[in-house]
Amino acid sequence: GNSVTQMEGPVTLSEEAFLTINCTYTATGYPSLFWYVQYPGEGLQLLLKATKADDKGSNKGFEATYRKETTSFHLEKGSVQVSDSAVYFCALSDWEYGNKLVFGAGTILRVKS
Amino acid sequence: KAGVTQTPRYLIKTRGQQVTLSCSPISGHRSVSWYQQTPGQGLQFLFEYFSETQRNKGNFPGRFSGRQFSNSRSEMNVSTLELGDSALYLCASSPSGGGSGPTYNEQFFGPGTRLTVL
């Protein structure tokens, strides 16, 4: 079945450092890929998405490129801020299963000032 | 436009009881999905409803059930609660029920209902 693997955390960075959170997936079809963010005590917010190979999703300085050849969708940001501290989830959606999202385990990001 | 609302936000029950959680989607959205979030298992898909019909179901026992009403509001029910059912239950709404092709309708998540089973 479909699955998502993302790097374990927590990831602790200093403000203005470069961020990479790795995400790889396994899927039988042609999934869409997403990054969601969860702040303490809140639900999930869609951060960015990519619906086909080589698409680049971007939002609020975060970027991720859909790499079919390496089945990856790594999240990057050039300069993190304290306000970026949250849990980040990589996810995929396969059309055969409607709106079902398959999530990775989540990566806690802590940014120190 | 109001977001996805879930009620109640917090709930404490004891083993063996049953519980009903409610989700009101964004106006005009017809698809509602439910997820369970726990520290051990992460985010797991429970089921999705579209136009009052269950479209997909995850790997959960029959104690977990749901339904959707004609106004797209959804409820999920857990009977005979177990300690392991303690979790954050998240609801997500989407304009449509997915489908083929590259078009994707973003899912909007509610704040969740925190269920504690004692």
Side-chain angles (χ1 to χ4, degrees):
Chain A
N2 296 339
S3 65
V4 175
T5 303
Q6 61 182 102
M7 64 187 286
E8 292 186 26
V11 173
T12 303
L13 297 172
S14 297
E15 208 164 21
E16 298 184 3
F18 184 85
L19 168 71
T20 300
I21 301 178
N22 290 336
C23 170
T24 57
Y25 68 90
T26 301
T28 52
Y30 300 92
S32 289
L33 302 174
F34 312 89
W35 278 100
Y36 281 85
V37 58
Q38 186 175 36
Y39 297 100
E42 298 184 13
L44 300 174
Q45 297 176 28
L46 179 65
L47 183 59
L48 53 84
K49 67 184 181 188
T51 57
K52 61 183 186 299
D54 300 324
D55 268 2
K56 176 185 278 190
S58 61
N59 186 27
K60 300 180 182 179
F62 291 90
E63 292 183 340
T65 301
Y66 189 146
R67 300 286 188 200
K68 192 165 183 288
E69 63 276 12
T70 55
T71 60
S72 64
F73 193 55
H74 305 321
L75 182 68
E76 297 181 335
K77 186 176 185 184
S79 177
V80 294
Q81 306 300 312
V82 172
S83 57
D84 293 326
S85 298
V87 184
Y88 292 81
F89 293 92
C90 185
L92 69 79
S93 177
D94 192 324
W95 306 123
E96 286 188 64
Y97 302 101
N99 279 324
K100 175 184 175 181
L101 287 167
V102 176
F103 287 91
T107 302
I108 297 172
L109 171 64
R110 297 183 181 133
V111 181
K112 304 180 299 184
S113 58
Chain B
K1 209 173 196 181
V4 178
T5 57
Q6 293 187 244
T7 56
R9 290 293 309 276
Y10 301 91
L11 207 47
I12 299 175
K13 292 286 188 179
T14 56
R15 278 181 299 174
Q17 288 187 308
Q18 74 158 17
V19 67
T20 299
L21 312 181
S22 181
C23 171
S24 293
I26 291 171
S27 177
H29 285 194
R30 297 166 63 193
S31 167
V32 173
S33 300
W34 288 89
Y35 293 83
Q36 182 195 64
Q37 184 176 22
T38 60
Q41 300 299 316
L43 279 154
Q44 293 187 286
F45 173 78
L46 279 155
F47 28 64
E48 179 199 2
Y49 286 87
F50 178 71
S51 293
E52 302 179 64
T53 301
Q54 188 179 85
R55 179 187 174 96
N56 279 301
K57 190 177 190 309
N59 295 323
F60 279 83
R63 300 184 297 107
F64 292 81
S65 62
R67 59 178 175 169
Q68 187 179 34
F69 302 95
S70 58
N71 62 357
S72 294
R73 189 177 70 85
S74 177
E75 290 181 345
M76 66 162 283
N77 184 77
V78 187
S79 62
T80 319
L81 283 166
E82 301 177 359
L83 295 178
D85 297 334
S86 294
L88 179 67
Y89 289 88
L90 293 165
C91 161
S93 79
S94 175
S96 82
S100 60
T103 302
Y104 174 79
N105 288 287
E106 177 181 344
Q107 292 194 57
F108 297 81
F109 281 81
T113 294
R114 173 76 62 187
L115 171 64
T116 301
V117 182
L118 302 176

